[in-house]
Amino acid sequence: MSELWVIVPAYNEVHGITRTLEALAAQQDRDFILVVVDNDSTDGTASVVRDFARMHPELRIEIVTESRKGTGAAADTGMRYAIAAGGVRLARTDADCLPYPDWTARIHAAFDSGLQLISGQLIPRTDEGVSWRDRTIIRVVLEVASTFGKFRPGNRDPRYLGPYVMTPGCNMAITAELYEAAGGFPRTAIEDLHEDRALVNAVRMLTTEYGLRRDVRVYGSNRRVRAWGVRKTLAWYADHRYKPELVDIR
């Protein structure tokens, strides 16, 4: 059995998840098991995944359900499902993301180098109707936020063993042992807490074997930018300073 499990939480992604599944089926290294966590979707997301699995028997796909709303809850359910089945290395992307063809291969290489938590490079998707200008602004701001995140009061504590590293939930990997030791993703809704930030700070209490790998690349969705604009999107990601009526943009 493969030691790498890829977790994809999904909520009402019927129109977009096929692209994500195709990107995973096109991986150069397909020695992994894919777990799609249906977060109580109402649009037939699980049926789309099942149909894809039937048409792509070369990709091992399992579907589990998490009724509690939230990316943190769904991702944690998938991670713990994989661990219970013997998963040793765990990776996560999201159902609106497109991993590069060498994504899983690069994750293995990063683990083999000694890392226990891998933070990947997030690159804006180019196929969602968001302008080049706005995509560029987002990329620049992400770099700035990654740097200044080291100095944010919430990311500073004398108990931390190493510096803060921005770790997007849609492009990260972690060993099963460290995931359990750190307590996993908080089982929260995305409106309440950025679960990826909480996990990396928990990891920082335990080890320095974590870091950014820019060759672990994923195209991430900009649909919030398309719906809210750059300024409001950045305010939302910065501790939810912008509070929209609808967070689950589709």
Side-chain angles (χ1 to χ4, degrees):
M1 177 161 302
S2 173
E3 64 178 6
L4 177 65
W5 290 61
V6 174
I7 313 303
V8 178
Y11 172 70
N12 284 357
E13 296 284 2
V14 70
H15 296 296
I17 196 170
T18 298
R19 290 288 309 279
T20 301
L21 297 174
E22 289 172 343
L24 290 168
Q27 290 296 300
Q28 297 167 4
D29 184 344
R30 288 205 300 264
D31 185 19
F32 63 89
I33 298 173
L34 172 61
V35 179
V36 177
V37 185
D38 179 20
N39 198 192
D40 212 17
S41 299
T42 59
D43 67 349
T45 294
S47 295
V48 171
V49 177
R50 291 189 188 96
D51 289 343
F52 188 92
R54 282 194 292 270
M55 292 185 291
H56 295 80
E58 76 284 358
L59 187 62
R60 290 171 290 177
I61 303 176
E62 301 187 19
I63 304 173
V64 298
T65 301
E66 173 52 62
S67 60
R68 180 172 179 175
K69 173 181 170 57
T71 49
D76 183 61
T77 292
M79 293 287 196
R80 294 189 187 280
Y81 176 88
I83 292 170
V88 176
R89 295 175 170 183
L90 313 172
R92 175 186 161 188
T93 190
D94 287 345
D96 58 359
C97 295
L98 306 176
Y100 270 57
D102 62 355
W103 185 63
T104 55
R106 297 291 187 178
I107 285 173
H108 276 303
F111 276 130
D112 291 343
S113 74
L115 292 183
Q116 296 184 59
L117 171 69
I118 300 157
S119 169
Q121 178 78 6
L122 192 58
I123 301 168
R125 286 179 63 160
T126 61
D127 59 347
E128 296 180 313
V130 177
S131 70
W132 175 88
R133 171 184 173 274
D134 286 351
R135 296 197 312 270
T136 301
I137 291 173
I138 290 295
R139 290 196 70 169
V140 170
V141 171
L142 282 174
E143 290 293 332
V144 172
S146 179
T147 298
F148 282 93
K150 296 178 173 62
F151 305 102
R152 290 183 53 186
N155 295 330
R156 301 180 68 183
D157 189 300
R159 295 173 296 170
Y160 291 142
L161 303 179
Y164 176 77
V165 174
M166 182 180 289
T167 305
C170 60
N171 187 11
M172 55 83 64
I174 188 170
T175 65
E177 181 179 9
L178 181 57
Y179 186 83
E180 291 191 302
F185 286 118
R187 298 182 63 80
T188 53
I190 197 169
E191 296 94 331
D192 301 328
L193 180 71
H194 292 301
E195 76 278 355
D196 44 11
R197 185 183 303 162
L199 177 61
V200 73
N201 280 336
V203 164
R204 294 171 62 204
M205 297 279 190
L206 302 173
T207 183
T208 60
E209 298 299 327
Y210 61 89
L212 170 65
R213 287 294 180 268
R214 292 186 181 275
D215 60 347
V216 178
R217 299 167 295 174
V218 161
Y219 283 112
S221 176
N222 286 308
R223 56 190 177 189
R224 290 193 175 94
V225 176
R226 186 182 59 206
W228 302 337
V230 170
R231 181 176 298 178
K232 290 181 178 178
T233 300
L234 294 175
W236 183 80
Y237 278 107
D239 296 324
H240 297 149
R241 294 171 191 169
Y242 170 60
K243 298 184 182 299
E245 291 184 10
L246 178 65
V247 171
D248 297 314
I249 301 295
R250 297 294 180 266

